[in-house]
Amino acid sequence: MINSTINEPKKEYNREMHTAEHILNQTMIRMFGTGRSVTNHIEKKKSKCDYRFDRALSEEEIRLLEGKVNEIIGQSLDVKESFVSREEAGLKYNVSKLPEDAGDVIRVISVGNYDHCPCIGQHVSNTSEIGGIAIISSDFNNETNILRIRYRIA
Ligand SMILES: [Zn+2]
């Protein structure tokens, strides 16, 4: 087996999945007013993202969410990086997940004009490379107020 993991942060890490996560996060913000996912597990076969929320989503809402994410993916948006000062990033973006030692120059990933988020991960260069996603399931834990969404690349 060829060792091609040098540039991959994690063995199962997947650029398509991770870029889809950016789009899913922004869609959750726009449709349901959540923040970005508080925790996530991005893997090649199946990924999950957890959002702070106050209820479960209905099957209809899940299909609307999936449809919106796929509509954005289908727009063949360029995924670009830019750099801003930490101060500017703190004013414009959610930097709660940035490590303290991320430095004074922060990398921001933009998915077209749809989503802008500081991120150190690896991404596709155009959303057309993702193809689309399918939401497999979701559930809501009313003790932790966490809504979990599981998806795969479709
Ligand atoms: Zn990213």
Side-chain angles (χ1 to χ4, degrees), residues 49-76:
C49 291
D50 290 347
Y51 298 89
R52 224 175 281 289
F53 202 46
D54 56 4
R55 62 176 176 83
L57 295 185
S58 70
E59 187 58 32
E60 189 187 356
E61 286 173 321
I62 289 290
R63 298 283 79 91
L64 286 171
L65 173 65
E66 182 185 85
K68 183 64 184 176
V69 170
N70 283 331
E71 181 193 318
I72 298 302
I73 290 171
Q75 289 174 4
S76 301

Side-chain angles (χ1 to χ4, degrees), residues 2-3 12 14 29 34 37-38 40 43 46-47 50 52 60 73 77 81 84 86 109-110 116-117 124 127 134 141 145:
I2 299 165
N3 185 348
E12 291 282 327
N14 182 276
I29 291 167
T34 65
S37 62
V38 287
N40 56 67
E43 290 187 1
K46 187 169 79 172
S47 294
D50 290 347
R52 224 175 281 289
E60 189 187 356
I73 290 171
L77 301 175
E81 65 176 14
V84 299
R86 180 176 267 278
I109 296 298
S110 297
H116 308 277
C117 181
V124 298
T127 59
N141 183 326
N145 281 336

